Amino acid sequence: MVTPKRTGSPRKISHYLAIAVSCSALSFGAIADDEAKDAPTAEELLTDQIGRARSAAPESISHEATIIVDGKVVAKGTNGWTCMPDTFPGDGMPMCNDAVWMEMLSAMMKKEDFKATKIGISYMLQGDRGAGVSNSDPFHPEPKKAKDYVETGPHLMIIVPKEMLAGITDDPSTGGPYVMWKDTPYVHIMVPVADK
């Protein structure tokens, strides 16, 4: 039987392993540094969020609107409109709302009652693709599993006093305006303005 020739002492092998580990660490460190350099700054992220918020409505409205990001006013507006980069936290679906819509959203987030006494308008010109809702239940725990899950392309949402909803379908598949959340205080009309 031939005994294999030893090619290095345990001390040398340990030395080479230490060098290899150090080189790997340096390589990973360099990759991490490159990724950190490529990562957007907080200011760039905020600029993107503001741009996304403003994209929800025509510029004639969104340019002078207040911008709210993560619950904080980041740009004070002058025209009574409020734009946000997300409808619900992190969904990436921007919206611009008048004062009535902001009042309704506040009530909904607190699960408080809301009664429309005048018209309210919200723009979602980016639609809600990938982040739809149950058409009947704003608090559905898993909206994408709801039987009446719906996504709508670019649209307006209009709040009206409940008596004005008579005769409007709550079926989103008809292709025209439809009622969302009809048996809740947060009922409104969805008005598609372009295909999905």
Side-chain angles (χ1 to χ4, degrees):
M1 179 165 105
V2 177
T3 305
K5 192 174 181 184
R6 296 183 77 182
T7 55
S9 70
R11 180 179 278 172
K12 276 188 176 177
I13 291 170
S14 297
H15 177 71
Y16 292 132
L17 281 173
I19 290 172
V21 168
S22 296
C23 288
S24 294
L26 288 172
S27 295
F28 286 125
I31 290 168
D33 286 346
D34 286 345
E35 286 176 358
K37 287 176 191 168
D38 292 340
T41 65
E43 187 176 326
E44 289 169 333
L45 286 173
L46 182 59
T47 298
D48 287 348
Q49 289 174 308
I50 291 171
R52 190 168 75 238
R54 291 193 195 282
S55 74
E59 187 178 353
S60 58
I61 288 173
S62 64
H63 184 68
E64 297 299 328
T66 293
I67 307 296
I68 295 179
V69 175
D70 297 330
K72 296 176 185 167
V73 174
V74 296
K76 184 72 177 148
T78 58
N79 64 0
W81 287 83
T82 302
C83 300
M84 301 174 289
D86 305 297
T87 299
F88 296 106
D91 69 6
M93 299 297 118
M95 68 189 316
C96 286
N97 307 316
D98 69 5
V100 175
W101 254 93
M102 291 305 290
E103 183 184 343
M104 189 275 272
L105 280 180
S106 176
M108 189 175 82
M109 293 303 159
K110 298 172 190 171
K111 296 189 177 181
E112 295 176 348
D113 197 30
F114 173 81
K115 184 173 181 180
T117 57
K118 55 188 174 181
I119 291 174
I121 298 174
S122 174
Y123 284 90
M124 286 189 73
L125 296 185
Q126 299 301 320
D128 58 12
R129 294 172 300 275
V133 295
S134 159
N135 197 51
S136 60
D137 181 2
F139 304 113
H140 195 290
E142 294 185 79
K144 288 189 176 182
K145 292 184 178 177
K147 289 181 182 176
D148 59 354
Y149 175 76
V150 62
E151 293 182 13
T152 306
H155 60 277
L156 296 175
M157 299 183 291
I158 303 173
I159 293 170
V160 296
K162 242 179 180 174
E163 58 271 16
M164 295 178 71
L165 297 169
I168 303 173
T169 184
D170 63 349
D171 181 357
S173 68
T174 60
Y178 64 93
V179 174
M180 178 173 276
W181 301 337
K182 80 172 180 180
D183 295 322
T184 77
Y186 321 114
V187 60
H188 57 278
I189 304 167
M190 298 283 286
V191 184
V193 296
D195 292 332
K196 290 183 186 179

